[in-house]
Amino acid sequence: MEIQQELEWAQAQNLVLSKDLIATAKQQLLFLAEVDRNLCLYDGPVLHRANYRYKYCWLPLLAKHAESPVTEYPLVVPLDCEWIWHCHRLNPVRYKTDCMELYGRILDGWNVVSSTQGTSKEETEKIWETMYPKEPYELDLNNDSMQEFAENLMEAKETTTNYDLISAVKRQTTFLYQVSKPYWNDDTFLEGAVARYKGFLYLIKRNRERSIHRFCVPTYDIDLIWHSHQLHPASYYNDLMAIMGKVLEHDDTDSDRTKGQKLDVGFSETTTQWEDAFGSRYWKAGAMYRGSPPSPLTVDKYKIDSIHNSSAPSNKTNQNLIQLPQKMLVEVMLEIVDVRNLPSGHKGKLVVSFNKKQEDILFNTKKQLSISSGLQGKQVAVFQCESSGDLVLELISQPSFNFRTVRAAKVLGKTSINLEDLQNLASKLPIEKWLDLTSALNCRKPISIRIGFSLTPPVPAPYEVQMISLHPFTGSYFSFLMPRKFKQIKNWTKVADDAGNEIIRIQKGIRTTEKTKINTNKEVIGKIASGETHLLAELEGTMWSMVNSDWMLQIKKTSDEHKHIFELTGTHKVIIFPGRKLEFGTRYYGNEEGNCLMTAIEFSKKYPYEKAVALIYLTYGFLEIKEEWLVLPAILSAFILSNFPDFSNQSTEVNKTNA
């Protein structure tokens, strides 16, 4: 930063915010995740009833409590009412106006706690039942009879807001997806977000002082803290009045990100103003728009039997046969801001290539990035890699195209940066550094490049394994989908980790029956690195039991829409769907002819609607597994589905039954 830019940033950081917004942000993330586990609150009869209960039950109760505490204990807001209240407060100007007109004061959250904070609800429930004897304190969100709800069950005499809260809710239903990665709960990341929120407020304040009319658009880390501030309505009002003399609007009505539209133009102008004012990058790793959320599954019909809630590790021997090291990944955002001390007379296009110096399974290629210019627009690279090691950068001169001469690209110099050294700084705020390049050129001064750099806090990387000799036996349900090279009969299937190291070998076991002396495919055996052989799974009727573990795999009947599913149950409940689902459905995996991709989805009380936990690419024996407890069960499931026709062909019978 230049001196003036440093002064501007220091002034921004001097802005006073009266609440602990990091704690509020963490609580907000917990709350939004709980709402997301109850999708009925996003639309339909449940949402409409929640809206009614909020306006005619919760707001009057909150107003009464604000005037004179109705209990010495904290008031606990019901989940459905809290969701509407949350969205109402995210229009701070309208919320203040409604509160003042209806109740003569801003209804804040004094002595009120979230339904997700584990506080006893008994006292609040007693008060609720006294005030609203015909309306339950908590809704049974899984009770279909609720759809028969009629508003005349309650004699609502209260005057209330006419703000369209249903539309306000629908505008917020995708926000959690944008802020749901694990690093959003990291203190360092959130500390940086609070600092950047102060910078955002400072720019708006400065625009007002200079009569500049600009639609300032936040990145998502700033927006999370902005939301957190608004959830304290009285503090938000007082803080904003002290900072800029007015309550700042929060306009969430515009979602059109098309180039040239209001949101796009506002974001571009905010980026330019931020970087001019503070001398640092506005864009930040992990804080940018992720795209539209993947479509949820229709899952109620797949809640087969009871939902498992236990994730306790099993003591059974085969559970721990495979132990893979946990790698950590970061998302990196890299921008080349400037270059200086180029050789005199230099001509041509400048690019910077970058790659990891050490072997990196997550980032194993070399990429290029153009030097930013006003004409080119912002040139930014975003990628994921392991959180340790060095990033090597080379400055390359690419000659301008000329019909008469053809010159090769020339490396002007190179340098490297250590990710671990930058971890603390760049995880909190984007940083900029001048880096001198080592070069064989005779230059009086070293060529230097200025980089803008940010990264997310490290999070666990998914486990990746390859079943190298995976093949379908003749008659397998999937055999017609397999490339010819995989149709060889081999005794063992080698399972390797992402570095190519063998972790286990798997083979079809052959059991000879006493009466018929006929070989039947009913077992899977495995050999670990020590040479020990273990019975891993055996077929019992239409179910594969994974021996000495808690896991079982079976086919389940389902609708024509999904044709067949496989249920994997043990310490967790997992259903394997054909095709790419959820976040796996938003990524491309190369040649997908044959549709031999399957997605493992976990269902639990924590994830009643879905959590994608593994991708199984049967054609090439590739598995991406997000949870350690699923590594061995997922490998065995993939092996069984590809090698045992008697089991997998039953899915065809299921389809015929459902036709």
Side-chain angles (χ1 to χ4, degrees), residues 31 35 38-60 77-88 115 128 132 135-141 143 146-151 153-154 156 160-161 163-170 173:
F31 168 70
V35 172
N38 295 276
L39 295 182
C40 56
L41 290 172
Y42 285 166
D43 202 359
V46 176
L47 172 59
H48 286 274
R49 184 171 182 178
N51 178 44
Y52 187 84
R53 284 161 48 85
Y54 167 71
K55 292 193 293 186
Y56 293 108
C57 298
W58 173 249
L59 278 182
V77 51
L79 177 66
D80 64 311
C81 295
E82 185 176 5
W83 174 226
I84 310 296
W85 190 29
H86 175 97
C87 296
H88 196 179
S115 59
W128 182 286
Y132 315 114
E135 180 65 15
Y137 167 66
E138 287 188 289
L139 292 181
D140 180 359
L141 299 178
N143 187 351
M146 182 165 44
Q147 299 194 20
E148 300 176 0
F149 169 73
E151 293 185 0
L153 290 178
M154 297 171 57
T160 190
T161 176
Y163 177 46
D164 186 355
L165 288 165
I166 299 297
S167 295
V169 165
K170 292 181 179 180
T173 56

Side-chain angles (χ1 to χ4, degrees), residues 240-251:
L240 268 294
M241 290 298 293
I243 291 170
M244 61 185 66
K246 67 166 289 186
V247 180
L248 184 60
E249 298 243 18
H250 176 252
D251 184 1

Side-chain angles (χ1 to χ4, degrees), residues 85-110:
W85 190 29
H86 175 97
C87 296
H88 196 179
R89 285 175 287 174
L90 294 186
N91 188 331
V93 174
R94 181 57 189 261
Y95 183 79
K96 172 182 175 292
T97 301
D98 286 343
C99 287
M100 296 302 294
E101 289 181 354
L102 296 170
Y103 304 108
R105 66 178 74 197
I106 299 176
L107 299 182
D108 209 348
W110 175 82

Side-chain angles (χ1 to χ4, degrees), residues 9 13 30 33 83 183 201 205 233 309 312 386 419 479 527:
W9 181 253
Q13 298 313 298
L30 286 173
W83 174 226
Y183 52 76
L201 293 180
K205 173 180 182 291
N309 193 35
E386 292 181 40
L419 292 176
S479 64
K527 183 184 292 185

Side-chain angles (χ1 to χ4, degrees), residues 196 280-284 425-426 428-432 453-454:
R196 282 161 54 84
S280 65
R281 300 300 94 189
Y282 185 52
W283 296 14
K284 186 177 188 304
L425 288 175
K428 186 174 183 179
L429 293 168
I431 61 173
E432 290 189 21
F453 195 84
S454 63

Side-chain angles (χ1 to χ4, degrees), residues 491-613:
N491 290 331
W492 289 96
T493 291
K494 172 185 171 183
V495 183
D497 63 16
D498 52 13
N501 303 311
E502 182 175 323
I503 54 177
I504 195 170
R505 289 193 176 194
I506 303 177
Q507 185 185 55
K508 293 177 66 172
I510 305 296
R511 177 180 293 176
T512 303
T513 61
E514 292 295 328
K515 295 182 180 180
T516 62
K517 303 297 182 182
I518 297 174
N519 291 338
T520 57
N521 298 321
K522 290 190 174 182
E523 296 176 349
V524 177
I525 59 176
K527 183 184 292 185
I528 58 177
S530 65
E532 296 178 26
T533 301
H534 296 261
L535 176 62
L536 298 180
E538 57 185 354
L539 183 62
E540 300 174 355
T542 61
M543 180 183 300
W544 277 91
S545 174
M546 298 183 185
V547 180
N548 291 329
S549 76
D550 296 314
W551 293 96
M552 293 181 293
L553 177 69
Q554 61 182 318
I555 295 173
K556 284 291 184 177
K557 294 182 179 181
T558 179
S559 67
D560 290 336
E561 179 186 357
H562 290 92
K563 297 183 179 179
H564 61 272
I565 58 171
F566 300 91
E567 183 180 356
L568 183 62
T569 52
T571 54
H572 299 252
K573 185 184 189 72
V574 177
I575 294 177
I576 302 173
F577 293 89
R580 297 183 292 128
K581 307 295 182 185
L582 303 179
E583 63 187 80
F584 291 124
T586 63
R587 292 156 51 185
Y588 177 66
Y589 291 90
N591 183 5
E592 298 179 8
E593 292 183 7
N595 192 29
C596 233
L597 281 164
M598 306 187 81
T599 306
I601 308 292
E602 179 190 1
F603 297 91
S604 65
K605 289 184 178 179
K606 186 175 182 181
Y607 305 108
Y609 286 94
E610 60 243 12
K611 178 187 178 185
V613 287

